[in-house]
Amino acid sequence: MHNLYSLKHHFEEHGIKVPRHFEFDGNVHTPHDIFRAVPPPWLVRLVEESGTEYFRAATFPELSSALSNSDSALVEESIEGDIYCAGIIRNYRGVELYSLPVLESKYGRLLRTPHLDNSFKTRMTATAKKLFVTYDVPFGLLVYFIYRNNHLYI
C-alpha cells in the first residue's frame, strides 16, 4: 500500500492530478481523520494477507464499517467521470515509443474516441510516455485517466 501512496505523491510532484487521498493507519488514525481530509464518496483499498479489497463508501457509517477490521488502507475521493486509456509500447512498428490510440473505457469495453478533443488525447499520451520513461517500463504500459470538467486525473 505504501508503494501506491508513494506513487501518488510522485505523480503530484510531476504535475499529474490524482484524487485527494489519505493513507490510513488503524494504529494512528480514525475514520474521522479521513472524513476531515477527503470529501465523500470514498474508494477504500484495504490491504490484507489475502490480497487487496476495494469498497465504495458514500456515508461516514459506510466508511467506518469498511475500515473497522483493517490496520492499513488507502482512501481516496471517488471522482465520477469518463475513463480513458492511453498506451505506450516500446520498439513497435519501427517506433521507439509507439503510442496506441486513446480509447474510452465504457460498458466493460474499450471504444474509439472521435468526440474527445485532440489536446486531451495529446496530454494523455504525453503523460503515459513520461511515466513509461520515468519508470523504465521494459515493454508496454496502459495508463487509465478520469476526465471530468476539463481536468484529467490518474
Side-chain angles (χ1 to χ4, degrees):
M1 186 60 65
H2 180 71
N3 290 339
L4 182 57
Y5 192 72
S6 297
L7 188 60
K8 285 184 174 292
H9 278 291
H10 181 81
F11 289 163
E12 288 175 321
E13 289 171 3
H14 287 85
I16 300 170
K17 287 187 172 217
V18 297
R20 286 177 274 189
H21 51 278
F22 191 97
E23 188 174 18
F24 177 78
D25 177 344
N27 297 315
V28 177
H29 304 111
T30 69
H32 287 285
D33 297 323
I34 295 168
F35 187 75
R36 287 190 283 276
V38 179
W42 303 277
L43 291 178
V44 180
R45 299 175 193 218
L46 304 177
V47 177
E48 306 297 334
E49 289 180 19
S50 60
T52 303
E53 291 185 61
Y54 298 88
F55 297 94
R56 188 170 189 282
T59 65
F60 183 77
E62 290 174 347
L63 176 66
S64 296
S65 176
L67 295 169
S68 64
N69 295 318
S70 180
D71 292 331
S72 177
L74 178 67
V75 180
E76 60 187 8
E77 72 178 310
S78 176
I79 298 175
E80 299 295 323
D82 298 324
I83 299 174
Y84 296 96
C85 176
I88 306 296
I89 300 175
R90 185 180 301 280
N91 297 321
Y92 184 65
R93 296 185 176 175
V95 178
E96 184 181 347
L97 295 179
Y98 181 85
S99 302
L100 297 171
V102 172
L103 300 172
E104 183 175 12
S105 179
K106 199 172 204 174
Y107 313 117
R109 300 174 54 205
L110 292 175
L111 309 169
R112 293 179 181 249
T113 58
H115 60 284
L116 188 63
D117 185 85
N118 280 333
S119 66
F120 282 105
K121 291 180 187 181
T122 301
R123 282 179 49 203
M124 286 184 256
T125 300
T127 300
K129 279 185 180 179
K130 183 177 182 178
L131 294 172
F132 190 94
V133 171
T134 300
Y135 293 103
D136 195 26
V137 177
F139 180 67
L141 175 71
L142 290 177
V143 179
Y144 284 85
F145 296 88
I146 301 169
Y147 175 63
R148 180 178 181 174
N149 297 332
N150 292 326
H151 293 285
L152 287 174
Y153 298 87
I154 193 167

